Every structure is written in structure tokens, then in C-alpha cells.
Amino acid sequence: MPNNKARDPNTLSNYNDFRTVHTLADLNIDFSEKKLCGSVTLILNVIGEHTEEIVLDTSFLKVHSVRLADSSAEYVLSPRTEPYGSALKIQTRHIKPRIKPGDNVNVEIDVQTTEECTALQWLTPAQTPNKKHPYMFSQCQAIHARSVFPCQDTPAVKSTFEFHIRSPLPVIASGLSTGAKNFCPGENGAAGTLLYTFKQDVPIPSYLFALASGDIAMAAIGPRSTVATGPKELQAAKWELEDDTERFIQTAEVMQLLKLVSGFSTLTVGAENPADKSVHMDYLQCPGASTFLSIRRFKPPHGEPHRSFSAIIGWKALSESIAKFGPSHEFTKLVINLKGQDPDDAFSSIPYEKGFTFLYHLEHLLGKAKWDTFILHYFSTWARRSLDSFEFKATLLAFFAPDAAATALLSALDWDSWFFAPGFPPKPAFDTSLVDVCYALADRWEAYASSPSPFTPKAEDIATWTANQIVVFLERVQDFAQPVAREGVHAMGTVYGFARSRNVEVVSRWLRVGLRAREEGCYALAAELLGRVGRMKFVLPLYRDLKAADPALARKTFSENEEFYHPICRKAVRQILERE
């Protein structure tokens, strides 16, 4: 039975009385008007006693009509409450016989998005790489699905999905494609449209609703996986993903953490096509993206040194996030109080990296053999459902209750500090074998920067390094007490080839080194990169450093590219330029 206690303060819905079990999105994509219009049908299971009305989340939506159990229903769209939107309240008293716990109720809502929609990004042909067709994509995390369709916009609720999307351009969605059909010719010279259909049989929360349409090409990246992106970016995306995707699938299958149903799709969407913009996998889904992203790093196919190497990179990201908020800030806790807060303001690497550190600690506390046994139990217990930190704790304690030694260790654990203490968690003793060489080279650069030194940078210094080793090196350089001299930045760019790199992970970090060194040659390069990359992971720190180096150029760059960024990213950059 579902947990009927309302846990999420960032939804207006009464999901403790009704629970969405299936969602059908039947929508038309209108590029000329930059809107989606059509209907959404929700199948709601009654789980509570307060059934007089159904309350759904909406934000900046036009609601044209509501049908409940095949009849017109009375509804009210409440005044907007920032930042959560407007509650859609649907009366149920006309349903005969009166609905009761255990019943399913169908709600069909005719809707239309507006220009204030915060989940959708619309690009003109000129804003796309090949400049041929417009492009649209969604990004609904954390609470922006409600600006696309009325829903219970909370990770506490998961539903299966069907997509019926009509568009003049190819469509991808967070479900397996079931075909394209029913061509309709356009009117008055407009392009004709096809109906693209998708099915997602694994229940997912609303924030994983993903949709994209444009000049999209696809390629296989393994025997059962596909990448979709723009034609110009296809080969680069394929190169980035094809070596590791199948290995990760196989590793998860060996651990019994992954069960493929009938296919596996990695969707790469957006103008710069970040590989993690929208990922959907048909498997027995672990509860919550944060937990899955943390746990899946426990047994990568490359071994312990590589796992520690990734964790060290994550620790640096955690350090930067804590520095941004301050070590005593509420948002640096593992379990945070979001009541009255905009979840976008809490966006950072902290839930990922601090959560990973906690799970890593538990693994070492209990031992890998016991921990891996629990992980299997965890996935099977919570498959297709959501849970919070306290349910995770209860599951862990119950599983190890018969094991006196494990129970003693878990009883002695300071749960309150891990859950509620702000700032850094205890730092694990990571295997540094793969990063020591990076630190050693950084130390030579630091000595070279602070005093005369015979050190001369050579391409051979990093000739055998992976991109991640270069990232660790550059992040170490960013932490120098004194910035690298301008000529040093130039040498890194030319001798090491960072200025020519096509890897955004590398070039963005080198540019940040240059901006902090006030190397003016990096200013225009940073502005150019900000005009073609839209991932907040890169955009936000670059804007912070560019603003510190050249506030006028930072504002000019944003003014020129504001419409290129997704609304969530746009808002975050505006806050940096206006408040920080």
C-alpha cells in the first residue's frame, strides 16, 4: 500500500487522497506559436477518504475544459502561489456512485501551454547548429512539469505514460517509440504533421516527462541502445557514448540491478545536446534519480581506482557547491527543508555527492559483501515506487535486524548528523592512485607560478592522460592560492591543447583558470562558449567567473544569448548577474 502521508511541501496536489497511476499526453507541437496544445488524461487511484475534490498542480497553463468519468466537471483554477503555480481543483461530487478508496477515476483535461511555460525551450532555426529547422525540448526537473500539463508534480508519485505527439518534425520522448502514423497535410503552405507515439511502462515521476522535436537523427550506440540528437552532433554523441553504454548495462545486469524490458534508449536533446539532459531506460527503476546516480557508481566496470577517481571529482563539485551556499546553509544538508522554497534555488551537486558519500560510508561500514546483498533487496523492495530518506533507513535497519554485528554498527551510526548536519560529511579515504600524477603536475605548476623554476610545460606531460585526469588537474589549479600567471594560462592552452579541445569538460575548466588569472584572451572564448552550450553545469560557473573578470561582457553575453538558454537556466544566470 502507498504511504498516504503527504511528504512533499512543493506540490499543491492532494496526492495523499488520489494517486496518478497512468498518464496519456495527447499533444500538438505548434512551432509557429511556440506552444503545446491538446489533452492530458490521468488515471487516478483513490487512496484517501477526502474525495470531494481532486487537486492538481499547474503553472502558467491555460485549462479549457475538464471531463471526469466521461462527464463535464466543475473546476477552479486557483490564484497563483509562488513559486508553486495554481492549484487546479476539480469537483467529484457529481460522480455516482460516490467514489471510494480503491476506485480508479479518469480525468481528461484540455490544456495549452503559454509563453510563460518554464519547462519548454523553443529554438529558432538560426539558433540550431545546422540552422535548418526549429527545435523544442523540455526540462521538467524539479517542479516544471506542471507548466506543461496538470499533474501531481512530485517525486512521491510515479505513473506509467503514453505519448501521442503530433508534430511537423521528428519527436523523441521518455518512452519507447511505438511508431509514427496518420499523416496530416499542412494548410496554407505549412508542413504536414505525423502522430508520433511512445509508451513508458515503467512508472516514472512527472519531472522525468521528456519531449523533444526538431531535426533529429539517431544512431545505435550498442546492440540495444540508441542515441538521438541533431545531425551535426550525431557522430560526436555516438563516439562519447558507444564505448561504455553496453558495458554499464551488462554490469548492472550482473548485479541484478537492471532488467531490460524491450529496449533501452539514451535520449540526447537540446541545442548543445548534453547526454544527461533526458535519459530514459526501461528497467526496474530504482526509487529516485539521485539515489540511482549515487548507487550505480558503486560497481562501475572499470574497478575501484576508477570509482575513487570519479568520487574525487565529485568531492570537488561538492566543495564548490558548499562554498557557494556557505557551510551552515540549509541547502548543504542531505535532508533539507524545502517548505516555502523554490527547489530550483537549492539546485547543486550536494544531494548527489553528499548522498554518494553516505552510501559509500555505509558500504565500507558493513562490508561490500553485505552491502551488495542489501542493494539487491533495496531494488526489489522499492522497484517502481518512491521513498524518502527515513524509509531508506527503515528498510536498511529491517534488512539487517537478524545480523547482530551489522545492527550494532548501524545503531552506533550518527544518523542525525548524516541527515541534518550542514556542510561537509566526513571525507572518505579514496584511492588516489589515478589522481596522484595529476596532483604532482599541478604542484609543479604551482611552484612555477610562485617562484622562478626550471619547469617547462611539454605536451608529453599529459599525453597519456584521460579527459578526467585533465579535469582533476585543472580543478587542482583552480584551487591555487594565487592564480596562474597569464603566460601560464596561454601555455596550457597552446602546449597542452586546451584552447583547441572539443571536450567542454576540459575547455570550460581551462577558461575558468584563465578568467581567474584575468587572461583577457580567455574572455571572448568564454563568451563564445556560453553562446553554444546551455548546460547549467558549465553555464553558471562560467558566468560567475566572467562576471568577476568583466561584468560588462558577462551582461552583454547574456543579453545576446538569453533566448538560447532554457528558462530554468535563464533564471539562474539572471540571478547571478543581478544578485551575486
Side-chain angles (χ1 to χ4, degrees):
M1 290 296 292
N3 185 338
N4 286 9
K5 181 179 68 173
R7 297 170 286 174
D8 186 352
N10 300 137
T11 177
L12 303 174
S13 69
N14 59 342
Y15 69 93
N16 51 323
D17 291 314
F18 297 86
R19 191 66 56 91
T20 306
V21 295
H22 185 71
T23 304
L24 168 61
D26 190 346
L27 301 169
N28 296 322
I29 299 177
D30 187 335
F31 283 99
S32 62
E33 297 293 329
K34 296 183 178 179
K35 67 182 181 183
L36 304 182
C37 59
S39 68
V40 172
T41 301
L42 308 178
I43 300 178
L44 305 173
N45 181 245
V46 183
I47 61 173
E49 299 293 337
H50 304 287
T51 60
E52 296 80 11
E53 66 178 6
I54 298 166
V55 184
L56 302 174
D57 291 303
T58 79
S59 180
F60 302 120
L61 273 178
K62 290 184 178 179
V63 176
H64 298 301
S65 67
V66 177
R67 292 178 61 82
L68 186 60
D70 297 323
S71 300
S72 295
E74 296 180 18
Y75 68 92
V76 174
L77 199 59
S78 300
R80 184 173 178 83
T81 300
E82 292 295 348
Y84 306 126
S86 304
L88 175 61
K89 298 181 178 181
I90 304 167
Q91 301 302 311
T92 65
R93 59 179 178 268
H94 72 281
I95 299 180
K96 303 297 181 184
R98 184 176 177 179
I99 57 177
K100 61 185 183 303
D103 290 345
N104 281 347
V105 180
N106 285 29
V107 182
E108 182 180 352
I109 308 163
D110 289 332
V111 296
Q112 176 183 311
T113 61
T114 67
E115 62 181 9
E116 295 173 289
C117 176
T118 54
L120 302 179
Q121 173 71 356
W122 300 88
L123 301 178
T124 66
Q127 292 174 306
T128 64
N130 66 11
K131 306 188 185 307
K132 292 182 179 180
H133 299 282
Y135 197 95
M136 182 280 300
F137 69 94
S138 67
Q139 204 298 88
C140 293
Q141 193 174 4
I143 58 169
H144 298 280
R146 64 191 70 181
S147 70
V148 179
F149 62 99
C151 59
Q152 294 176 318
D153 201 5
T154 167
V157 175
K158 292 181 176 181
S159 86
T160 54
F161 273 80
E162 286 182 80
F163 301 80
H164 297 173
I165 310 298
R166 182 166 289 282
S167 176
L169 293 168
V171 175
I172 52 177
S174 47
L176 288 175
S177 174
T178 52
K181 57 188 178 183
N182 298 347
F183 175 78
C184 288
E187 298 179 357
N188 301 319
T193 62
L194 280 170
L195 183 67
Y196 297 85
T197 58
F198 305 84
K199 192 173 185 180
Q200 177 56 272
D201 288 330
V202 177
I204 60 174
S206 56
Y207 74 83
L208 289 182
F209 175 96
L211 198 61
S213 183
D215 190 1
I216 294 172
M218 303 179 71
I221 52 172
R224 46 186 170 171
S225 52
T226 303
V227 64
T229 183
K232 292 186 68 174
E233 295 75 44
L234 185 61
Q235 289 306 311
K238 181 180 178 182
W239 172 83
E240 181 178 355
L241 297 169
E242 63 185 350
D243 285 345
D244 291 325
T245 301
E246 180 61 21
R247 283 198 301 235
F248 274 110
I249 296 173
Q250 291 176 1
T251 300
E253 286 179 324
V254 168
M255 292 186 67
Q256 302 177 50
L257 302 184
L258 182 75
K259 181 179 180 181
L260 294 187
V261 180
S262 58
F264 178 93
S265 297
T266 300
L267 307 185
T268 304
V269 303
E272 75 288 353
N273 301 295
D276 65 347
K277 179 70 74 176
S278 169
V279 178
H280 111 260
M281 299 177 246
D282 283 281
Y283 58 100
L284 290 178
Q285 183 168 306
C286 70
S290 299
T291 304
F292 174 73
L293 289 173
S294 298
I295 291 175
R296 75 174 179 176
R297 290 163 58 176
F298 275 62
K299 287 280 188 179
H302 306 298
E304 182 62 35
H306 284 269
R307 177 169 69 144
S308 284
F309 190 86
S310 295
I312 290 168
I313 295 175
W315 188 269
K316 179 63 166 60
L318 175 65
S319 302
E320 291 188 348
S321 293
I322 291 175
K324 180 183 75 170
F325 290 120
S328 61
H329 197 282
E330 176 72 23
F331 293 163
T332 67
K333 299 177 181 179
L334 187 56
V335 178
I336 63 179
N337 181 8
L338 281 172
K339 186 175 182 178
Q341 302 288 331
D342 186 339
D344 287 345
D345 294 338
F347 172 79
S348 76
S349 64
I350 291 169
Y352 302 98
E353 301 306 335
K354 198 168 184 177
F356 166 77
T357 303
F358 180 46
L359 297 175
Y360 187 89
H361 176 78
L362 288 174
E363 179 195 65
H364 283 259
L365 179 70
L366 298 168
K368 280 188 177 181
K370 289 184 178 181
W371 178 250
D372 286 350
T373 303
F374 166 72
I375 289 299
L376 295 177
H377 170 75
Y378 167 80
F379 271 79
S380 63
T381 300
W382 291 99
R384 299 173 178 259
R385 296 192 291 156
S386 298
L387 79 163
D388 61 21
S389 300
F390 308 105
E391 289 167 322
F392 168 80
K393 177 183 176 181
T395 304
L396 182 65
L397 295 178
F399 179 79
F400 284 111
D403 185 330
T407 296
L409 291 170
L410 293 172
S411 297
L413 188 68
D414 188 350
W415 289 90
D416 283 350
S417 292
W418 277 103
F419 280 1
F420 304 115
F424 285 97
K427 186 174 182 178
F430 295 124
D431 180 334
T432 64
S433 57
L434 290 178
V435 302
D436 288 340
V437 63
C438 311
Y439 291 162
L441 181 61
D443 291 344
R444 296 175 70 188
W445 272 91
E446 190 167 26
Y448 170 69
S450 59
S451 62
S453 167
F455 171 62
T456 301
K458 299 183 178 64
E460 293 77 15
D461 294 341
I462 63 168
T464 61
W465 284 13
T466 65
N468 275 344
Q469 287 179 298
I470 295 173
V471 165
V472 168
F473 163 73
L474 287 171
E475 289 186 339
R476 186 80 158 195
V477 171
Q478 289 174 11
D479 287 339
F480 287 175
Q482 298 294 326
V484 174
R486 295 176 183 177
E487 56 268 25
V489 176
H490 180 73
M492 287 183 188
T494 55
V495 178
Y496 291 166
F498 297 161
R500 303 184 300 275
S501 175
R502 296 175 58 193
N503 187 323
V504 181
E505 297 278 1
V506 171
V507 72
S508 66
R509 286 171 171 83
W510 171 69
L511 287 173
R512 293 186 65 195
V513 170
L515 291 172
R516 293 181 181 186
R518 301 299 186 262
E519 167 52 54
E520 295 185 358
C522 290
Y523 293 10
L525 294 176
E528 187 273 334
L529 184 64
L530 287 167
R532 58 184 175 87
V533 171
R535 282 184 71 184
M536 291 197 293
K537 173 183 179 181
F538 304 119
V539 169
L540 302 189
L542 275 173
Y543 265 110
R544 289 191 187 100
D545 289 345
L546 183 58
K547 180 191 175 187
D550 190 336
L553 179 59
R555 292 187 175 87
K556 178 176 181 290
T557 302
F558 179 64
S559 176
E560 292 175 349
N561 297 288
E562 182 174 1
E563 294 304 315
F564 169 71
Y565 302 128
H566 187 278
I568 302 171
C569 180
R570 190 184 310 152
K571 175 186 173 184
V573 175
R574 191 176 290 117
Q575 289 175 338
I576 290 172
L577 298 180
E578 292 176 355
R579 296 209 306 252
E580 292 187 8

